[in-house]
Amino acid sequence: MVRLSVEKRGPTGGSLGVTRLEDVISQADALLLDFDGPICRLFAGYPNTRAAKVERDFLSTHGIEVPTESVGTSDPLRLLQWTGTHQPGLIADVEERLLAAERTAARTAAPTVHADRVLKNASESGLGVAVVSNNSAPAVRTYLDMHGLSAYVLAVCGRVPGHPELMKPNPHLVVRASQLLGVRAGRCVLVGDSATDMEAAGSARAGSVGYAKTPDRVAVLKNAGAEVVIEDMAVLADAITNAASRTEQSVWPIT
């Protein structure tokens, strides 16, 4: 099933200005995908709470207690951001531990159904494909290599080591991916499952497709600025193929 946003993007939204999924795709030159969600469930076999505990335990050995009421206990990325703000001298050590946890998690990550079709169809349709993730690039590459998907992905833009402030919703990773692909950001579409993904796309003037893993996420993504919200990656895979077919049919042969 696919749910479509009926409102066009405002002045901070994407430049594509369309609401139908195939239209969004047909007007793009590159497809950017978040990693944890649209491509796989990263912490399926190695719980995110375990990764967060590794960080907390390290900070605790230095006499630092992270406030659970504001940071929580299950999100290792939030802990990294907290460290960058409150204990910048320890950011490299905390990130080293998170990187190791992410690479371990990538080996047991659960593939998102039909994500492989999305990557394959996008690549074969001539779209530049990049992964844009707040997770580390080595973890992303570990997963792609294990599942035979690396050939479809031209660029991997993971978080910048030592700079958690550049993670989404900051548009840095979206802009960087567009530069690596040689495509202006306004001709890219970011597929993500979080409000921060949609906000990053909007700030970069890129198009946006929200992937709602559960029905309650539809409104969250729509309110964050998603041009289109889908609940099944198969819908996106088919839309990519259909958009490419429409483009080919619109080109008249030279006689």
Side-chain angles (χ1 to χ4, degrees), residues 2-255:
V2 59
R3 296 177 188 256
L4 304 179
S5 172
V6 297
E7 299 153 349
K8 295 183 184 293
R9 297 289 287 276
T12 61
S15 63
L16 300 179
V18 292
T19 55
R20 292 186 63 250
L21 181 58
E22 287 181 20
D23 290 340
V24 172
I25 300 300
S26 66
Q27 296 182 55
D29 296 320
L31 188 72
L32 317 181
L33 296 101
D34 181 35
F35 178 57
D36 189 8
I39 293 178
C40 70
R41 187 156 59 93
L42 176 58
F43 293 103
Y46 182 99
N48 56 355
T49 52
R50 183 175 173 185
K53 185 178 185 302
V54 170
E55 294 171 282
R56 280 183 174 277
D57 288 349
F58 171 78
L59 291 169
S60 190
T61 62
H62 287 75
I64 299 163
E65 297 300 323
V66 182
T68 58
E69 63 275 10
S70 60
V71 182
T73 60
S74 63
D75 189 342
L77 292 174
R78 286 190 66 186
L79 275 166
L80 182 68
Q81 290 174 313
W82 184 91
T83 303
T85 300
H86 299 280
Q87 298 292 334
L90 295 176
I91 188 68
D93 296 294
V94 171
E95 189 150 41
E96 179 183 354
R97 285 156 177 79
L98 176 55
L99 170 60
E102 287 174 325
R103 294 190 72 172
T104 298
R107 297 186 183 98
T108 55
T112 298
V113 179
H114 300 300
D116 55 344
R117 285 185 55 213
V118 169
L119 294 174
K120 183 175 184 290
N121 290 4
S123 177
E124 292 180 350
S125 296
L127 292 171
V129 180
V131 177
V132 178
S133 176
N134 284 347
N135 297 116
S136 65
V140 175
R141 292 193 179 97
T142 294
Y143 177 87
L144 294 176
D145 288 345
M146 283 186 62
H147 292 267
L149 298 173
S150 296
Y152 304 124
V153 178
L154 297 179
V156 173
C157 291
R159 66 172 179 272
V160 181
H163 291 281
E165 75 279 4
L166 295 179
M167 290 160 53
K168 295 172 289 183
N170 190 303
H172 173 80
L173 295 176
V174 176
V175 174
R176 179 59 179 155
S178 73
Q179 292 171 340
L180 290 175
L181 295 175
V183 177
R184 64 184 179 86
R187 296 290 296 182
C188 296
V189 172
L190 174 64
V191 182
D193 68 335
S194 69
T196 54
D197 290 319
M198 303 301 101
E199 292 164 10
S203 296
R205 305 280 179 174
S208 56
V209 173
Y211 169 53
K213 295 178 289 187
T214 56
D216 62 300
R217 298 294 296 172
V218 172
V220 172
L221 294 166
K222 187 175 177 180
N223 291 338
E227 293 182 87
V228 181
V229 179
I230 62 172
E231 296 179 87
D232 187 339
M233 292 295 279
V235 175
L236 178 58
D238 292 341
I240 291 168
T241 298
N242 293 340
S245 178
R246 284 169 48 188
T247 301
E248 291 172 0
Q249 292 173 9
S250 67
V251 178
W252 288 83
I254 299 176
T255 59

